[in-house]
Amino acid sequence: MAAGKVLAGQGPEELKELMAEFGEPSYRAAQLIKWIYRPVAAIGEMSNLPIGLRERLVQETVYHPCSRVTVRRSQDGTRKYLLELQDGELIESVYIPEADRSTVCISSQVGCKMGCTFCATGSMGFVRHLTAGEIVDQVLQVILDVGSRPSNVVYMGMGEPLENYGPLLRSIEILNAAWGLNIGIRQITVSTCGLVPGIRRLGKEGLGLTLAVSLHAADDEKRSRIMPVARVYSLDELLDALHEYAARTKRRITIEYALMAGFNDSREDARQLTELLRGLLCHVNLIPVNPIPGGLHHKPRDNQIVRFENWLRRGGLEVKERGADIEAACGQLRGRWEEI
Ligand code: SAH
Ligand code: SF4
C-alpha cells in the first residue's frame, strides 16, 4: 500500500502489507482494522497502537476520506449529511432512525449521468465515481455522529451504483464483512435505474442483498420521457433481467414507483404496472414524487395515492406499507432541516 492511502476502504490483506512495509508485527494489522471500522474520529485515538506507529499513520495515510460539512436534522430524527471529499467535491448521505431499525442512505457517485428528469442529482450531471473507501466512510461518518451502527444500508443517495460496479462490490464486502462493519447482507439494498447488464452481473455474484429498481412508468414511451435509460434498455429486457435475478437469488425485488400527478397515477397506469409485474417476485414501493426546483412533476393528492395503491393490490401486487417510502429517494429528501 503506497503512502497517502486511505485507511477506510482497506481490508485485512492490504493492512498486513502496510504493517510489513512499516516494519511492524503483523498482529498490528488486526488491531488497526478494528479501529478503522469501529470507528474512531482520528488515528490519535487508536489507543493500543504505539505512539510512533500512530504518528507514522497520521503522516503517511488518510483515515477518513469524507469530512462532515453540515448535519441537518428533521423533526422525526432523520439526519442529512453534506460531506466533503478530499478533492473538495460534495456528496450527501442520510440517516433514518425508525422504531425497529435504522438506515443509512449512501451515495455511489458525485452527480449522475443518467439524467432522470425528476431527480435533483440527475440535473447536476456526472462529476466522478466514488471509491470504495468514500462509499464506506459515509457510514463511518454517520456512526461517529449518532454513536451507533445502523442495521440497514441503502445505495439510494447520489449516483447510479451499477455504473460504479467494482467499488460498489468492494464497499458491500466491507459493510458486510465480520472484519468490517458486520451489517447483514440482507440489510443492504442496491437501487438502480435499470442497467440491464449490471443487474445480470450482480445476480451472478450470488449475494443475498436486496435489489431495488426505479421503474416509475410501466410503458416504454412514457418511461423514456422521464428516464433516458429507457431508450437504451426496454422494459422487456429489464423485466427479463429481473426475472433472472429473482430466480437466481430467490430474493424479492423492490420496485420503486414515484407517483407523479397526471403522469403515471391513472387507473390505466396501474393496470399496465400490474400486467408488467405479474409473476415477478417483487413488491412495489410507492413514493409520492419530491418536486425539485424548476421540475415539471408534482405529488398526487393523498386520496389518489390511496386509490392507486388499491388498484395495484386488487391487481394482485404486493405494495409496501407507506411510511417506508422515506427509504426511497433519500438522496432527494426535502424536509424541514435544522442545522445542528
Ligand atoms: N440511481 C439509483 C439510486 C439513486 S436514486 C436509482 O435511480 O435507482 C434513489 C431513488 O430515488 C430512485 O428510486 C429514484 O428514482 C428516486 N428519486 C429520485 N428523485 C426523486 C424525486 N424527486 N422524488 C421521488 N423519488 C426520486
Ligand atoms: Fe441518477 Fe438515480 Fe437520479 Fe436517475 S434517479 S438521475 S439514475 S440518481
Side-chain angles (χ1 to χ4, degrees):
M1 192 166 87
K5 263 280 173 78
V6 172
L7 295 180
Q10 305 299 327
E13 292 312 313
E14 292 109 322
L15 292 172
K16 264 187 214 151
E17 275 172 35
L18 181 72
M19 290 301 100
E21 230 177 83
F22 279 18
E24 293 284 339
S26 66
Y27 67 84
R28 294 281 181 226
Q31 291 178 318
L32 179 55
I33 203 164
K34 271 196 192 147
W35 288 114
I36 293 175
Y37 298 112
R38 184 173 290 181
V40 284
I43 291 167
E45 294 173 42
M46 299 180 173
S47 54
N48 63 354
L49 300 184
I51 298 274
L53 173 56
R54 280 186 255 166
E55 276 170 1
R56 192 157 175 204
L57 286 169
V58 168
Q59 274 159 17
E60 299 185 29
T61 69
V62 169
Y63 176 10
H64 294 291
C66 302
S67 60
R68 277 167 275 160
V69 179
T70 56
V71 184
R72 285 158 200 271
R73 182 158 48 185
S74 83
Q75 279 160 342
D76 62 5
T78 300
R79 293 181 188 207
K80 188 173 180 178
Y81 298 85
L82 184 67
L83 303 176
E84 184 173 357
L85 307 174
Q86 288 166 283
D87 60 359
E89 295 295 347
L90 299 170
I91 53 169
E92 287 178 349
S93 316
V94 187
Y95 169 72
I96 307 149
E98 288 171 286
D100 55 344
R101 61 179 173 172
S102 56
T103 303
V104 176
C105 171
I106 54 177
S107 297
S108 55
Q109 299 176 320
V110 182
C112 181
K113 66 178 78 149
M114 308 314 293
C116 304
T117 59
F118 50 84
C119 173
T121 307
S123 67
M124 70 180 271
F126 175 72
V127 180
R128 71 168 174 87
H129 293 300
L130 296 187
T131 63
E134 289 168 333
I135 296 174
V136 169
D137 201 39
Q138 295 171 61
V139 183
L140 301 183
Q141 292 301 325
V142 173
I143 297 173
L144 287 169
D145 186 54
V146 304
S148 61
R149 213 164 38 102
S151 58
N152 295 57
V153 173
V154 298
Y155 288 76
M156 291 186 183
M158 299 165 79
E160 169 49 48
L162 292 184
E163 263 232 322
N164 188 15
Y165 197 85
L168 167 71
L169 274 209
R170 174 69 171 158
S171 64
I172 292 169
E173 183 193 358
I174 297 170
L175 292 179
N176 178 235
W179 52 258
L181 280 96
N182 207 9
I183 293 170
I185 193 76
R186 285 171 174 256
Q187 271 60 255
I188 298 176
T189 299
V190 172
S191 177
T192 176
C193 63
L195 298 182
V196 168
I199 293 171
R200 292 198 192 279
R201 196 169 163 196
L202 192 63
K204 289 184 190 133
E205 306 283 352
L207 301 170
L209 53 79
T210 303
L211 180 69
V213 178
S214 304
L215 201 64
H216 309 321
D219 165 276
D220 277 314
E221 189 277 323
K222 190 173 273 201
R223 195 160 181 264
S224 309
R225 277 195 263 153
I226 53 169
M227 301 181 73
V229 67
R231 293 186 206 120
V232 182
Y233 304 109
S234 68
L235 285 169
D236 262 4
E237 289 171 278
L238 177 57
L239 265 290
D240 237 34
L242 296 184
H243 279 282
E244 183 188 312
Y245 186 94
R248 272 183 194 276
T249 62
K250 314 272 184 291
R251 296 297 321 272
R252 192 175 289 276
I253 294 168
T254 299
I255 301 292
E256 291 159 285
Y257 194 94
L259 281 163
M260 306 176 201
F263 178 73
N264 63 1
D265 63 345
S266 71
R267 183 164 207 147
E268 177 58 13
D269 292 312
R271 193 195 61 75
Q272 283 182 331
L273 185 59
T274 309
E275 200 64 32
L276 186 73
L277 298 180
R278 181 155 296 139
L280 180 68
L281 184 61
C282 70
H283 49 209
V284 179
N285 197 8
L286 290 178
I287 320 143
V289 74
N290 250 318
I292 59 169
L296 298 171
H297 302 290
H298 305 282
K299 281 182 202 198
R301 286 207 294 271
D302 280 353
N303 64 345
Q304 185 60 18
I305 297 172
V306 173
R307 277 166 77 191
F308 195 86
E309 189 176 333
N310 288 336
W311 288 327
L312 297 189
R313 288 224 164 93
R314 259 182 266 141
L317 294 185
E318 235 181 86
V319 184
K320 255 198 197 173
E321 287 306 319
R322 282 194 297 131
D325 57 36
I326 191 160
E327 235 181 67
C330 41
Q332 288 74 34
L333 274 181
R334 293 279 181 276
R336 250 184 282 139
W337 302 97
E338 279 162 30
E339 219 146 299
I340 51 173

